[in-house]
């Protein structure tokens, strides 16, 4: 039985909500059980909300959502409401979960090092679940993405680190404790490493390669470039059955980004033809950078192969 496009979209939407709810709950446990009770503000809007909660006793989730509202408005004017919709939903769910989970989960006020580590583990797991379905929890990553449109010489990582550094420094003064800031750095390190492991796997060079054939290639390529910040290459093609010449799009992405590309393609052209293949290794901008050791090893293997070939020829 053939599944219609509307049914596929309904299933994708249900999956988005399921992942957002699960990720928000896990993230909320991290905040209410580990980081907030131990005065650990691990950057971002949530970290700023933890500091404001300490100073003025404001609810963390509600404060985070209110701070995100001007960021959403800025994002809508810069990149459009369609690209902010998932982030808005994920932020709303995570903010509500943070304020409600405190009635169920008791705070841990023991060893602050354990709080920083386990807070980072749960934070990374929760955010990874949200990121898998193309959402974010607003805050630092959204601000960094918007700033990146104006400061193109700076990478997303550097922009995010800069914003987080300001908030962590502020938290150190607010809590009057250098240790709180240092524990926050540990939480961020654990969280980001776990996010990378869940989303990308242990080998950061692995990914997927997509071949897209559509009559609306230009629009599809433009949306992939803007929404995913991934490069797209147009290859000349000719259908041997129809004899018609055209273009085929080639795009290399992370594994978790495949569903996003499919969503874009089917939204633009439901009749598009998409082939998804494995990419054993991808090196270059946006993927694993090739290390000098890798290059030297590759050259050694190449020289060794040439020597073997030349010896075979002599014999």
């Amino acid at each position: 039985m053939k599944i219609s496009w509307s049914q596929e979209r309904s299933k994708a939407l249900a999956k988005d909500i399921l992942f957002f709810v699960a990720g928000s709950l896990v993230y909320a446990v991290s905040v209410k059980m580990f980081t907030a009770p131990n005065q650990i503000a691990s950057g971002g809007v949530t970290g700023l909300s933890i500091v404001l909660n300490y100073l003025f006793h404001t609810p963390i989730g509600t404060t985070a959502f209110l701070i995100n509202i001007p960021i959403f408005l800025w994002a809508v004017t810069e990149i459009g409401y369609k690209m902010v919709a998932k982030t808005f939903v994920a932020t709303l769910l995570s903010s509500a979960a943070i304020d409600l989970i405190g009635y169920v989960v008791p705070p841990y006020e023991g060893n602050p090092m354990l709080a920083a580590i386990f807070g980072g583990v749960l934070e990374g797991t929760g955010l990874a679940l949200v990121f898998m379905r193309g959402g974010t929890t607003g805050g630092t990553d959204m601000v960094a993405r918007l700033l990146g449109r104006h400061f193109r010489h700076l990478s997303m990582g550097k922009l995010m680190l800069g914003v987080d550094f300001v908030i962590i420094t502020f938290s150190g003064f607010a809590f009057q404790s250098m240790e709180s800031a240092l524990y926050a750095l540990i939480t961020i390190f654990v969280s980001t490493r776990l996010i990378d492991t869940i989303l990308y796997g242990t080998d950061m060079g692995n990914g997927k390669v997509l071949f897209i054939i559509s009559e609306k290639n230009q629009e599809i390529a433009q949306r992939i470039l803007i929404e995913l910040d991934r490069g797209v290459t147009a290859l000349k093609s000719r259908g041997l059955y129809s004899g018609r010449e055209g273009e085929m799009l080639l795009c290399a992405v992370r594994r978790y980004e495949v569903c996003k590309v499919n969503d874009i393609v089917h939204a633009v052209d439901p009749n598009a033809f998409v082939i998804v293949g494995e990419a054993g290794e991808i090196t270059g901008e946006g993927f694993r950078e090739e290390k000098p050791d890798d290059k030297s090893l590759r050259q050694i293997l190449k020289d060794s192969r040439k020597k073997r070939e030349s010896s075979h020829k002599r014999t």
Side-chain angles (χ1 to χ4, degrees):
M1 182 177 178
K2 190 175 181 180
I3 300 175
S4 65
W5 181 63
S6 59
Q7 288 177 316
E8 289 182 356
R9 288 202 66 184
S10 298
K11 287 185 177 181
L13 180 61
K15 198 171 182 180
D16 288 343
I17 298 299
L18 179 63
F19 272 66
F20 288 169
V21 170
S24 297
L25 290 174
V26 175
Y27 182 65
V29 173
S30 167
V31 174
K32 295 295 285 187
M33 187 173 186
F34 292 108
T35 55
N38 292 278
Q39 299 178 6
I40 299 174
S42 57
V45 168
T46 304
L48 180 59
S49 301
I50 290 173
V51 176
L52 295 176
N53 171 261
Y54 172 78
L55 295 174
F56 307 110
H57 306 290
T58 53
I60 297 173
T62 303
T63 304
F65 184 75
L66 292 175
I67 295 174
N68 269 304
I69 288 178
I71 299 176
F72 289 143
L73 296 176
W74 180 20
V76 168
T77 58
E78 288 272 349
I79 58 179
Y81 72 93
K82 289 183 179 180
M83 286 179 259
V84 185
K86 284 189 177 183
T87 293
F88 178 84
V89 173
T91 303
L92 179 62
L93 289 172
S94 63
S95 299
I98 289 172
D99 285 343
L100 295 175
I101 205 75
Y103 295 104
V104 181
V105 177
Y108 171 79
E109 296 178 337
N111 189 319
M113 178 62 75
L114 290 176
I117 294 173
F118 281 95
V121 169
L122 292 175
E123 179 180 308
T125 303
L127 291 177
L129 290 172
V130 174
F131 293 164
M132 280 180 182
R133 300 304 300 175
T136 72
T137 55
T140 304
D141 44 357
M142 181 63 76
V143 171
R145 183 176 179 182
L146 294 171
L147 288 175
R149 296 171 65 87
H150 302 281
F151 301 96
R152 296 185 179 275
H153 60 288
L154 296 176
S155 67
M156 279 284 291
K158 289 180 180 178
L159 290 168
M160 290 179 67
L161 183 62
V163 176
D164 282 337
F165 180 77
V166 171
I167 294 172
I168 291 173
T169 303
F170 173 62
S171 73
F173 285 106
F175 295 139
Q176 297 183 350
S177 171
M178 178 64 72
E179 289 185 349
S180 292
L182 295 176
Y183 285 133
L185 291 174
I186 293 173
T187 301
I188 290 178
F189 175 79
V190 174
S191 173
T192 52
R193 294 298 296 178
L194 194 62
I195 289 171
D196 287 344
T197 301
I198 292 174
L199 295 183
Y200 310 141
T202 55
D203 187 352
M204 300 291 286
N206 283 346
K208 296 279 190 178
V209 59
L210 292 95
F211 298 92
I212 305 165
I213 302 173
S214 169
E215 295 180 355
K216 300 179 180 180
N217 279 347
Q218 190 63 38
E219 187 178 348
I220 291 172
Q222 192 67 21
R223 287 192 57 178
I224 292 174
L225 287 166
I226 294 174
E227 296 180 29
L228 298 183
D229 196 25
R230 287 296 182 197
V232 184
T233 302
L235 306 174
K236 289 186 178 181
S237 63
R238 181 168 64 90
L240 294 179
Y241 178 78
S242 64
R244 188 169 54 185
E245 294 189 353
E247 286 185 340
M248 176 172 61
L249 300 181
L250 168 67
C251 182
V253 298
R254 300 287 188 191
R255 293 178 183 277
Y256 77 98
E257 291 175 321
V258 172
C259 60
K260 302 178 188 177
V261 176
N262 278 324
D263 288 344
I264 290 173
V265 172
H266 290 122
V268 175
D269 183 6
N271 298 317
F273 190 76
V274 182
I275 302 171
V276 181
E278 288 286 342
E281 181 180 357
I282 305 176
T283 58
E285 185 177 353
F287 295 92
R288 184 174 68 85
E289 295 295 333
E290 188 173 30
K291 299 177 182 178
D293 290 344
D294 295 338
K295 294 178 182 178
S296 59
L297 178 60
R298 192 167 297 173
Q299 187 62 43
I300 291 171
L301 293 173
K302 187 176 180 181
D303 294 340
S304 176
R305 187 168 56 251
K306 285 182 178 179
K307 288 180 180 178
R308 287 199 304 270
E309 290 175 354
S310 61
S311 65
H312 286 315
K313 289 179 180 178
R314 286 196 296 268
T315 56

